[in-house]
Amino acid sequence: ASVSVSVRVRVTVGFGALILVLVAVTIGAGIQTRRHQADLAELQEHSTMSSLLQTTEAQAGISAELLQRYVYTGEDLYISEINVHAAAAQSALTEALARGGHPDLPLVVSSGAELVQGASTVISLRQNGDEAGASAELERLAPIFREYRLQLEAMSASELDQVTKLRAQADEAGKIVFWLLVASGSGGAVVALVVSFWIARSIIKPLASLERTARKVSEGDLTARAAADVPREFAHLGSVLNEMMSAIEARTGDLREANRKLRSQNKELADVRIQAATDPLTGLGNHRSFHKTLRDEAAFAASQGAPLALIIIVLDGFKEVNDSLGHLAGDQLLREVAVALTRV
């Protein structure tokens, strides 16, 4: 009778410890998973906000370039495109404001509205034949537009910093969950081995089954499940282990899907950055990209003590092309020159 009691006590203590380890790991994994999900939700919000701000900057830049061309050429076909891109910029900015965002965002929205009103004035003056007045109004809007873009860039950079920070936090939470799983498998294996030496021969087999399952989990096999055809006492433990693994496997799938969506959003952000630095007509780097490249090359040349050269290409007879064939033909010529430059 004393041996029987001793075995029951050892079984109770041993498997009680194993259950406590598994429950603790499950609770810890659940807490880390919720933290990971919260970080991903906040990351997505900052990512969306950054995308909206970069879209605003890109669309506003395109609208400003088209407005400048319209003042110089007077071609009415530019007006509708100017309005479309300006409306897209304001739409993205309005959506960003509706989401909350940076505290200075209302000021940027106000500046955007002022720029839209100024653009309407420029178009009106140019349509009435007052090219000088339109140019003067355009010059007045230039510093406002420059400050507007600088504010958008600063806010977008701030949002991207938050995205980077939250991504690091999410990765850290994922690592913690992984090590909790490893600790669960290792701890369960150790406890199972200790208990197997304490109990009678008749229960060694179910213990060995639990041990094999725990080892598979520690090796990364989240599909491992405990056997069901075991004595009642061990069947309950196996059920708890299987439920835990099912929950962890489901959460791991959610984490993988969230990471896939995050990579997709990062690709979209990279595409928006490329568009923001590209001239919409030729596909070459725009004014902003040119100055950034020039600054980088100048700094590199200065640090290396090397000479630096800048080649300026002028298209002979380009004005005659515009005057004789129209500005659309001139635009096509610029695109073909851009393709030729790219090829060489």
Side-chain angles (χ1 to χ4, degrees), residues 4-334:
S4 178
V5 171
S6 176
V7 170
R8 288 198 299 267
V9 170
R10 292 179 183 183
V11 170
T12 302
V13 172
F15 279 96
L18 179 59
I19 292 175
L20 287 177
V21 170
L22 294 177
V23 170
V25 170
T26 302
I27 293 174
I31 292 173
Q32 291 301 321
T33 299
R34 286 195 293 270
R35 173 190 169 192
H36 186 271
Q37 291 173 341
D39 286 343
L40 286 180
E42 187 177 355
L43 184 151
Q44 184 174 5
E45 183 63 26
H46 285 290
S47 178
T48 301
M49 183 65 69
S50 176
S51 178
L52 289 171
L53 293 174
Q54 291 187 356
T55 298
T56 299
E57 182 185 359
Q59 294 295 331
I62 294 172
S63 181
E65 287 187 6
L66 292 173
L67 181 63
Q68 188 176 26
R69 291 183 187 177
Y70 171 67
V71 171
Y72 292 147
T73 65
E75 293 285 345
D76 290 340
L77 58 89
Y78 285 116
I79 296 177
S80 61
E81 294 186 40
I82 292 170
N83 293 330
V84 167
H85 290 291
Q90 283 298 94
S91 176
L93 195 57
T94 301
E95 183 178 349
L97 182 63
R99 289 175 173 269
H102 198 277
D104 293 336
L105 197 55
L107 296 177
V108 179
V109 173
S110 177
S111 297
E114 182 180 356
L115 289 170
V116 170
Q117 182 61 39
S120 297
T121 302
V122 171
I123 292 173
S124 177
L125 290 171
R126 189 65 178 87
Q127 284 180 323
N128 293 329
D130 188 359
E131 183 177 353
S135 298
E137 179 65 12
L138 193 63
E139 288 296 323
R140 184 188 72 81
L141 294 175
I144 300 175
F145 180 73
R146 187 179 303 111
E147 181 64 22
Y148 174 78
R149 295 190 71 173
L150 289 174
Q151 290 175 326
L152 287 172
E153 289 178 1
M155 288 188 290
S156 178
S158 176
E159 296 294 335
L160 289 176
D161 288 341
Q162 288 297 319
V163 168
T164 301
K165 177 181 177 182
L166 289 169
R167 186 188 301 118
Q169 292 179 0
D171 291 342
E172 183 64 23
K175 291 179 182 178
I176 292 175
V177 172
F178 172 78
W179 286 114
L180 282 174
L181 291 175
V182 173
S184 171
S186 301
V190 170
V191 173
L193 284 173
V194 172
V195 173
S196 69
F197 286 104
W198 288 357
I199 61 180
R201 178 75 178 176
S202 61
I203 58 175
I204 290 179
K205 183 177 179 180
L207 278 178
S209 176
L210 289 173
E211 179 186 349
R212 286 193 298 271
T213 301
R215 287 188 180 279
K216 288 180 180 179
V217 172
S218 68
E219 294 170 356
D221 183 10
L222 299 182
T223 63
R225 297 292 184 271
D229 56 341
V230 294
R232 183 179 59 187
E233 295 82 1
F234 295 100
H236 175 69
L237 179 60
S239 176
V240 173
L241 179 61
N242 288 342
E243 290 175 2
M244 181 197 73
M245 291 309 306
S246 295
I248 292 175
E249 187 176 10
R251 288 170 184 157
T252 301
D254 293 339
L255 293 178
R256 288 171 180 163
E257 178 62 18
N259 286 333
R260 184 191 66 77
K261 292 181 179 178
L262 180 58
R263 288 192 295 269
S264 177
Q265 290 175 351
N266 286 339
K267 182 179 182 301
E268 292 175 0
L269 286 176
D271 292 340
V272 170
R273 291 194 199 100
I274 292 174
Q275 293 175 3
T278 303
D279 175 63
L281 176 63
T282 63
L284 301 177
N286 59 16
H287 184 267
R288 170 187 173 190
S289 175
F290 165 76
H291 279 283
K292 181 181 183 305
T293 303
L294 184 60
R295 287 194 302 269
D296 293 344
E297 291 294 333
F300 178 78
S303 66
Q304 299 296 318
L308 177 67
L310 174 66
I311 299 176
I312 298 177
I313 298 177
V314 179
L315 301 183
D316 291 337
F318 181 72
K319 183 177 183 303
E320 285 74 15
V321 173
N322 280 335
D323 292 342
S324 62
L325 301 178
H327 289 279
L328 292 179
D331 288 350
Q332 178 61 31
L333 176 59
L334 290 179

